[in-house]
Amino acid sequence: MPESGQTCLKLKNLKVHYGSLEAVHDVSFDVPTEKIVSLLGANGSGKSTILKAVSGLMKLTRGEIWFQESRIDGRSPQDIILKGIAHVPERRALFPHMTVSDNLLMGAYSRKRATKKELEKDTEEVYQYFPVLREKRKSLAITLSGGLGEQLAIARALMAKPKLLLMDEPLQGIAPSVVRDIGKLINDLNRRGITILMVEHNISMSFELSDWIYILETGELAIQGAPEDLSQTEYVKQSYLGV
Amino acid sequence: MDEPSPKPILEIRNITKNFGGLTALNDVSFDLHPGEILGVIGPNGAGKTTLFDVITGRYRPSGGKVFHKGEDITGLKPHQIVQKGISRSFQLEVLFKNLSVFKHLVMSRHLHTQVGFWGSFFRTPGNRKEEEATEAEALELMRFVGLEVQGDRLGGNLSHGYQKSLGIAMALGPAPEILLLDEPLSALSPKRVTDILDLIRAIRDKGVTVMVIEHNMGALFRICDRVVVLSVGEKIAEGLPEEIKHNQRVIEAYLGGAVRA
Amino acid sequence: MKRRNLLGKKVGIAAVIVAFGLLPVFTQSPYWMHVFILMWIYIIVTASLRFTITMGEWSFAHVPLMGMGGYASALLAMKLGLSFWVALPLAVLITAFIAVFVYLPCLPTTGTFFFFASYAFGEVMRLCWVRFKNPFGGPAGLLFIPAPGPIRIPGIPAIEFGPLSKIPYYYTVFVFMLLSLLILYRLEQSRLGRIAEAVKESNLLAQFVGIRVWRYKMVILLIGSAFAAIGGSLYAHYTTLIMPVDFYWGLGIYIIIYTVVGGTRHFGGPIVGVFLFVLLRELLRPIVMYVPLVYGLILAGTLVFLPEGLISLPEKISAWAMKKKIAAA
Amino acid sequence: MTFAQFVQMFANGTMLGFQLSLFATGLTLVYGIMHIINFAHGELYMIGAFAVWFFFEELGINYLASLALAMAFVASLAITLERIFFKPMRGYHIPSFIMSTGLIFVLQVSIISFFGVKDKGVESVFPGLVKIAGVTLSVERLMIIPISLVVIVVFYVFLRWSRYGRAMRAVMQDPDGAALQGVSIDTVCSLAMGIGGAMAAAAGGLLAPIFVVNPFLGPPLAWEGFIVVCLGGRTSLPGTILAAFIMGYIKSFVSTLVDPIAALMCAAAILGVILIVRPQGLLGYEA
């Protein structure tokens, strides 16, 4: 259990099925407020499923999900994003044939009451953060490179003003030279007070970024710890670092 | 493996595959020697599965050739490749979801039933005998991969680990000389990993040449004789597991250049 | 237990066959004879459509190909003066030959694409009959298609087909139906049926266990077309007139509805479907205008509540009863 | 072919193009958002035509007001159908198609039981003829162009710049992504069905004074609309409109120069060829 601080997200005995296949067996863990937490594990170990369950895209078979003080399992994605959880899904799920600025406006969709002025202000703020996106605001999302696409996906999620950001493989399909930039970005967001729960295949980056790491294996929690401690364990050395 | 390698059973020569503007494989060449277990490793997006797809006829390569015992088999259809004795498993389990495990394996023996159409239409005695033989073979296959208890369950209802075993058994059905396994260890518990590794060894001991794609390097190094490393569509190294482990280029490609361990 | 069930099933099926075989003894009303003759023809067409569905693709060219059987057989009889007994097998061959050209372009496609591509090519073929007056007769179709020639069996008087009695037609169509069902059933139980199942479940995996998917798909489609052609030929020589509009997609939809409502997973499904709908129409004769409405509602209800068709109803009920029992205990 | 003939055919083709654009837009929306094939869309067109006939001829309401009323009525009917029948069919192409053919029966019979099978005529709203470039054309037919243009432009403005329009496009391009931004998929589905229904009704109402109104108008047009959708790219609205005009001109030119059956054959052949050769359609972007 990660020490210190309040709990932002709490999962209790989560069980999820894909059709008749059990994807998540029995998982409980906490995500402390304003930290970066990574979920690691091989393909099919249930990492993405957990994120989808949190954001409401998948129904639970059993278990509870608590966000801050309220129970959110069984709610629709619309309700959950209103609570302040944004999800940058696998392969980003951008709207490929919409412009960058339309994608950003979609990010603010859940804020029904926001006036046009507020939205413009927020868009401007996001553009300051991602200056390249401003240059490309009129181009279609499909024309963006991997790194820019990821920036757009994160920017879109920020438009919803989330307290918790779920990121599914933010570094996938990104040129090695840009990986560091995205890593820095994730760190920055965290420093601005956003809690981050991410799933990543790039082991070294997630060890570098995270405050706490959970490793899943076939739908169950195998091991957890702070990255410094974890990288010394036999288990991690054997299965991930290949030594 | 210091002795001069025997004549290769499969030669991959300058294979290139483009999808639209994307190059999935670029000028990849290597050999597969009879009786060995060859590991193909590389990070996500290295083109490993595409390589299998090219060898087994699912895709036609944009350039290069594949030779099987000296014969050019580039561009043959999947069923022709299977007839040549090269069969494969799939990474994300491709199964007959509504068929029982037993029926799966009977189906996989398809190529080896001699009965013609009329025999099976009129249920001749010869056909019945043939069918019994096929069923016996299917049972044996089931036992071999450790699925004998699961025989009546539907493919779609199996747990992930059993689906993996069934996938391998399906590939063994046509009695191949060369078996290509696509990430047989992904998402398995350490116990199951050991089981599957033992199974792969047992397959090799039966005289089948095995080529394995894997993401999990540590486990793979426990069984393979040689390793080929792909990264972003190119072969960056080839050699014994010990050499590969310490190859700087491999470590960089694989771990993103920031290993601390 | 299982064996006794099987025996019971066999006895039941035999009883049904005998009962319908003896039907003309009880009623010789031309009206009911007509209803049943058409019903047997629909069963041939529907069962053969289901046979093609076993490999996973839905053909929408099935009914036009049935029409092709009718046209081919009628033209052979009218232009070449061939007897029905010769024209029918020839028409089956011709239809299977033409089906190669209808289905060949569709084969690379699957699912929805196959469904509509097969419609498109079937429709082009059907429009040929409308457009080319010679020999197809244009929109008015073919009239005065000769009845089958008499059957002569030594020792009894020749069996004549004519407007006087429908009984010879009844038995001819009945026998054709039983034979077709028997052959289709045996085909499904044979290796071909098993291959069809594999192709349906996973096209990709089937290829990698060495099945020539395209070839088997084609073989299954051609067998389906051949049986559709038998249905078409019987229809043409029984009604003595056929028009292109008979084989419009409307009939195709009806056949598909029979299959879906009956249940595609089971051999008996389409038979149940045809029975239900044909008899329903007779029951609803006083309010004939509302028949399509009832059909539509039954279809919608089945699709929503019983996606595996009516034939799965007993299974569902017993499963439900079992659940109740367990809950009670 | 004389010049006058050409102009005549061109004008007819344009008119058909607008009719098909209005009609097929709804099919594309419903396909793109719900992944269903709704052949009962033709019935919405037919009911739209009947509604205009009823409001205009029977109740004596102003023509444009009748058109608006018909659009509102058909839109609510379409939303009801979506809620009851199509919700469980989302994502299932062939079952939804079969379901929609069942609805064709239901809707046709309902209309017949209210209004009978006889053809209904809607009297000419814009009588008269004009001479353009020496060719006589009826005002009636020409008036279709501005009215449908207005409907299409309003629809495009809605789709491009409104919150819900953006949400609709988003669901078409990535439903999960849209759900994660807080879009209610159910609302968008109903909206698509309603808008599609209204536009089909507009097409029916506009054509009512030119052709006759009867309960059997639906299915043939549904096929044409479906061909247009496949040709255009199934989820691409600009593609749909381009394809609608291509179909309109083919229909008009081939049926005049060859014969109407040949035009039908062309249409069916286009469907088959496009499904096989270029399944993503002219402007579609699916893989």
Side-chain angles (χ1 to χ4, degrees), chain C residues 185-220:
Chain C
Y185 183 75
R186 300 290 307 127
L187 282 174
E188 201 178 319
Q189 301 296 314
S190 77
R191 209 167 106 97
L192 189 66
R194 235 180 287 144
I195 289 172
E197 211 176 347
V199 170
K200 176 189 178 179
E201 290 293 329
S202 168
N203 213 317
L204 182 68
L205 186 54
Q207 286 177 47
F208 283 98
V209 295
I211 296 173
R212 271 185 260 182
V213 170
W214 279 37
R215 194 174 83 163
Y216 281 108
K217 272 189 169 176
M218 194 52 144
V219 165
I220 288 167

Side-chain angles (χ1 to χ4, degrees), chain C:
Chain C
M1 176 76 186
K2 211 172 176 184
R3 181 154 293 213
R4 241 180 70 196
N5 253 340
L6 212 66
L7 188 72
K9 224 178 192 174
K10 274 187 180 164
V11 170
I13 291 170
V16 171
I17 293 173
V18 170
F20 281 106
L22 292 177
L23 189 77
V25 178
F26 302 111
T27 173
Q28 299 204 356
S29 127
Y31 176 75
W32 281 105
M33 289 282 100
H34 177 74
V35 168
F36 278 103
I37 290 169
L38 287 184
M39 182 146 99
W40 304 145
I41 293 175
Y42 286 143
I43 285 181
I44 297 175
V45 177
T46 315
S48 56
L49 175 71
R50 197 203 76 95
F51 178 70
T52 60
I53 293 173
T54 56
M55 59 88 176
E57 304 296 353
W58 292 65
S59 163
F60 212 170
H62 199 68
V63 162
L65 285 165
M66 168 196 173
M68 193 63 234
Y71 267 93
S73 162
L75 287 173
L76 286 171
M78 290 163 77
K79 305 270 158 162
L80 302 181
L82 294 180
S83 139
F84 162 78
W85 305 101
V86 182
L88 180 130
L90 282 179
V92 167
L93 289 179
I94 292 171
T95 306
F97 180 72
I98 290 173
V100 173
F101 297 97
V102 172
Y103 285 129
L104 206 55
C106 308
L107 271 190
T109 60
T110 57
T112 316
F113 294 97
F114 181 90
F115 186 61
F116 288 106
S118 64
Y119 162 78
F121 293 106
E123 180 70 3
V124 170
M125 179 181 78
R126 195 187 68 86
L127 287 169
C128 288
W129 311 333
V130 185
R131 187 144 192 277
F132 300 107
K133 275 225 155 59
N134 187 24
F136 299 111
L142 297 174
L143 290 167
F144 308 117
I145 300 165
I151 304 175
R152 289 177 216 284
I153 302 167
I156 53 167
I159 304 165
E160 297 278 357
F161 290 81
L164 290 177
S165 166
K166 288 194 187 290
I167 292 174
Y169 285 111
Y170 181 89
Y171 280 113
T172 310
V173 176
F174 189 61
V175 168
F176 268 108
M177 177 203 67
L178 289 181
L179 282 177
S180 307
L181 288 186
L182 182 70
I183 295 171
L184 287 172
Y185 183 75
R186 300 290 307 127
L187 282 174
E188 201 178 319
Q189 301 296 314
S190 77
R191 209 167 106 97
L192 189 66
R194 235 180 287 144
I195 289 172
E197 211 176 347
V199 170
K200 176 189 178 179
E201 290 293 329
S202 168
N203 213 317
L204 182 68
L205 186 54
Q207 286 177 47
F208 283 98
V209 295
I211 296 173
R212 271 185 260 182
V213 170
W214 279 37
R215 194 174 83 163
Y216 281 108
K217 272 189 169 176
M218 194 52 144
V219 165
I220 288 167
L221 287 167
L222 294 189
I223 292 174
S225 318
F227 283 97
I230 293 179
S233 168
L234 290 170
Y235 180 84
H237 290 272
Y238 167 64
T239 58
T240 72
L241 84 158
I242 48 174
M243 293 183 281
V245 79
D246 293 344
F247 309 102
Y248 188 48
W249 67 279
L251 180 61
I253 279 296
Y254 273 110
I255 298 285
I256 287 171
I257 290 176
Y258 299 157
T259 319
V260 169
V261 171
T264 50
R265 299 281 293 262
H266 192 282
F267 188 82
I271 304 174
V272 171
V274 174
F275 255 89
L276 173 81
F277 279 103
V278 172
L279 294 182
L280 200 65
R281 182 160 57 207
E282 297 312 317
L283 285 177
L284 296 179
R285 195 146 279 277
I287 47 163
V288 69
M289 203 187 94
Y290 294 98
V291 168
L293 185 104
V294 176
Y295 277 26
L297 291 177
I298 290 179
L299 173 69
T302 316
L303 280 174
V304 174
F305 298 112
L306 215 60
E308 283 174 36
L310 286 177
I311 200 139
S312 70
L313 195 59
E315 227 174 277
K316 286 264 156 75
I317 289 175
S318 69
W320 177 76
M322 193 77 114
K323 228 180 189 174
K324 205 129 200 228
K325 229 186 214 165
I326 291 167

Side-chain angles (χ1 to χ4, degrees), chain A residues 20-21 42-43 204 207 217-218 241, chain B residues 156-158 187 190 255 258 260-261:
Chain A
S20 55
L21 210 77
N43 278 336
S204 57
F207 270 63
E217 205 167 67
T218 48
L241 304 174
Chain B
N157 293 347
L158 291 178
L255 301 173
R260 290 187 294 178

Side-chain angles (χ1 to χ4, degrees), chain D residues 116-281:
Chain D
V117 287
K118 276 218 200 94
D119 287 352
K120 306 275 183 287
V122 172
E123 79 183 82
S124 195
V125 192
F126 309 103
L129 298 167
V130 280
K131 254 190 153 151
I132 294 171
V135 183
T136 317
L137 295 166
S138 86
V139 182
E140 187 84 78
R141 288 176 179 237
L142 290 180
M143 278 309 285
I144 287 177
I145 295 169
I147 298 177
S148 31
L149 210 55
V150 168
V151 176
I152 291 173
V153 167
V154 167
F155 170 68
Y156 264 81
V157 167
F158 167 81
L159 202 65
R160 182 109 262 159
W161 283 289
S162 78
R163 194 171 114 93
Y164 280 110
R166 222 180 290 124
M168 282 170 89
R169 281 189 287 146
V171 174
M172 269 172 139
Q173 294 173 21
D174 198 314
D176 275 0
L180 286 178
Q181 313 311 319
V183 176
S184 156
I185 305 287
D186 284 351
T187 310
V188 166
C189 287
S190 294
L191 200 61
M193 197 74 185
I195 291 175
M199 290 177 78
L206 279 173
L207 275 279
I210 296 172
F211 303 137
V212 290
V213 179
N214 72 40
F216 311 107
L217 291 173
L221 189 65
W223 273 113
E224 267 173 47
F226 179 69
I227 296 170
V228 164
V229 171
C230 289
L231 182 63
R234 294 209 310 290
T235 53
S236 155
L237 290 162
T240 303
I241 289 181
L242 172 69
F245 281 93
I246 294 176
M247 273 293 287
Y249 291 125
I250 287 179
K251 215 178 138 188
S252 155
F253 279 77
V254 178
S255 35
T256 317
L257 297 177
V258 190
D259 61 62
I261 301 297
L264 289 176
M265 284 167 108
C266 272
I270 286 174
L271 174 65
V273 170
I274 200 86
L275 286 176
I276 291 155
V277 178
R278 200 178 152 81
Q280 75 274 35

Side-chain angles (χ1 to χ4, degrees), chain D residues 63-99:
Chain D
Y63 177 72
L64 288 178
S66 302
L67 198 62
L69 277 176
M71 285 167 73
F73 171 71
V74 174
S76 49
L77 173 70
I79 290 171
T80 317
L81 292 179
E82 191 272 322
R83 284 280 145 110
I84 301 174
F85 296 106
F86 288 121
K87 207 171 166 193
M89 297 285 122
R90 279 182 207 162
Y92 299 104
H93 295 172
I94 297 178
S96 67
F97 168 76
I98 298 171
M99 168 72 94

Side-chain angles (χ1 to χ4, degrees), chain A residues 20-21 42-45 169 172 180 201-204 207-208 217-218 227 231 235 237-243, chain B residues 44 91 156-160 163 183 186-190 215-218 221-222 245 255-256 258-261:
Chain A
S20 55
L21 210 77
N43 278 336
S45 58
E169 302 208 19
Q172 191 187 39
R180 299 233 144 247
H201 264 301
N202 187 323
I203 309 297
S204 57
F207 270 63
E208 211 173 296
E217 205 167 67
T218 48
S231 63
Y235 181 90
K237 277 189 183 171
Q238 269 222 350
S239 17
Y240 294 98
L241 304 174
V243 270
Chain B
N44 273 350
Q91 178 184 358
N157 293 347
L158 291 178
S159 72
H160 183 77
Q163 289 196 346
E183 300 221 9
S186 69
L188 294 179
S189 64
H215 200 73
N216 185 339
M217 277 213 290
F221 285 167
R222 281 160 42 197
K245 250 183 223 174
L255 301 173
V259 207
R260 290 187 294 178

